[in-house]
Amino acid sequence: PQNMLVCPLSNVLIAPIAISQYVLRNFTPSHVGILQFDGVAEVANVSDFTPDEQVLERFELDINKPIVVIRGEPILAAYNHGSSLVDALVHKIHTDVPDAQIIRLNRAGEEMSKDHPVVDARSLCYYSDLVISGGGTLTREAALLGTRAITFFNHPLAVDRYLIHKKILESYPGKKILDLNFGKELQHNTKRPRYEEFEHPFSLIPKAEKLLNLKMNGEH
């Protein structure tokens, strides 16, 4: 719905190549130019990012023990009709890995969301051994930073499927996430940032400006 409100007001739309132009045109009028980049929007969030170790102190985390970040499904969203798996997921991880340090990040409006009203989530993801989310943005950022990331969203978005195909993001939809043996999943993995492998969305801004100028000059 927000795309249907905003995109018609635009002159140029910059979008990931993972989303087909056929889909984009469903909510973007023909007068709007569409430019696509070979990456995801989260590349812009992490490309110039420097992690802050203070996040470890804030959560009293020991880097010698497994650190797991969990963000639940967007259960308050209009498109979500299921219940949360987070409680069962936390129990499963603690059963498999008793010394795991689990940080649960809830969404605005949910119970416990006021526990950590402002969190440096990118730094937290960077220093974590595993990031699991029922949404998308957090896992995409973590994956691009080189942290192992898993989404358990039932219907992965096109940009998620794009990263899954690149073998950067993993997907275990719904209750399949509970079938994992987290003792094995939390074995040490070499962290290697991946965002440099993708095109930055801002790289298309000069081209968008040229296209905009052509459109404006054509109108006059």
Side-chain angles (χ1 to χ4, degrees):
Q2 63 266 35
N3 288 334
M4 293 179 183
L5 290 172
V6 175
C7 290
L9 302 178
S10 305
N11 295 104
V12 181
L13 173 65
I14 297 176
I17 198 171
I19 307 174
S20 71
Q21 290 213 12
Y22 173 79
V23 172
L24 294 173
R25 282 301 178 196
N26 283 337
F27 50 81
T28 305
S30 59
H31 72 269
V32 179
I34 296 178
L35 299 177
Q36 293 185 275
F37 63 97
D38 191 2
V40 293
E42 287 76 12
V43 170
N45 298 350
V46 302
S47 60
D48 295 321
F49 172 68
T50 300
D52 186 351
E53 291 184 357
Q54 289 186 359
V55 73
L56 298 173
E57 297 178 8
R58 175 173 181 179
F59 290 96
E60 300 180 344
L61 296 171
D62 181 351
I63 59 173
N64 296 312
K65 296 180 180 180
I67 300 174
V68 181
V69 173
I70 299 177
R71 194 178 196 204
E73 314 89 322
I75 57 175
L76 299 181
Y79 57 81
N80 191 301
H81 304 291
S83 57
S84 177
L85 293 172
V86 173
D87 288 339
L89 183 56
V90 170
H91 177 75
K92 181 65 164 61
I93 295 173
H94 271 149
T95 299
D96 291 349
V97 190
D99 65 341
Q101 304 166 98
I102 300 177
I103 304 299
R104 178 173 174 173
L105 300 179
N106 293 313
R107 298 171 183 272
E110 296 177 8
E111 184 181 359
M112 294 173 60
S113 64
K114 295 181 180 180
D115 289 356
H116 309 297
V118 179
V119 176
D120 182 358
R122 287 177 298 176
S123 290
L124 186 59
C125 289
Y126 177 84
Y127 289 113
S128 296
D129 297 285
L130 177 63
V131 173
I132 308 173
S133 176
T137 301
L138 195 72
T139 49
R140 291 193 291 272
E141 289 179 342
L144 291 169
L145 286 170
T147 299
R148 187 170 181 197
I150 299 174
T151 175
F152 62 96
F153 188 46
N154 273 314
H155 306 288
L157 301 176
V159 286
D160 292 325
R161 297 195 298 271
Y162 167 86
L163 291 181
I164 292 167
H165 177 73
K166 299 282 188 180
K167 300 187 183 303
I168 292 176
L169 177 65
E170 298 177 50
S171 175
Y172 293 90
K175 292 184 178 180
K176 289 183 179 180
I177 190 71
L178 301 176
D179 294 333
L180 294 179
N181 181 332
F182 288 97
K184 294 181 178 179
E185 302 301 327
L186 283 170
Q187 292 178 355
H188 181 70
N189 296 309
T190 301
K191 188 181 294 289
R192 180 168 68 89
R194 307 297 296 270
Y195 59 85
E196 293 181 351
E197 301 175 19
F198 301 97
E199 190 174 9
H200 196 299
F202 294 175
S203 66
L204 289 181
I205 290 180
K207 190 173 182 179
E209 291 175 337
K210 290 181 181 180
L211 183 57
L212 177 59
N213 287 333
L214 288 173
K215 285 178 172 288
M216 297 301 289
N217 291 333
E219 289 178 0
H220 294 290

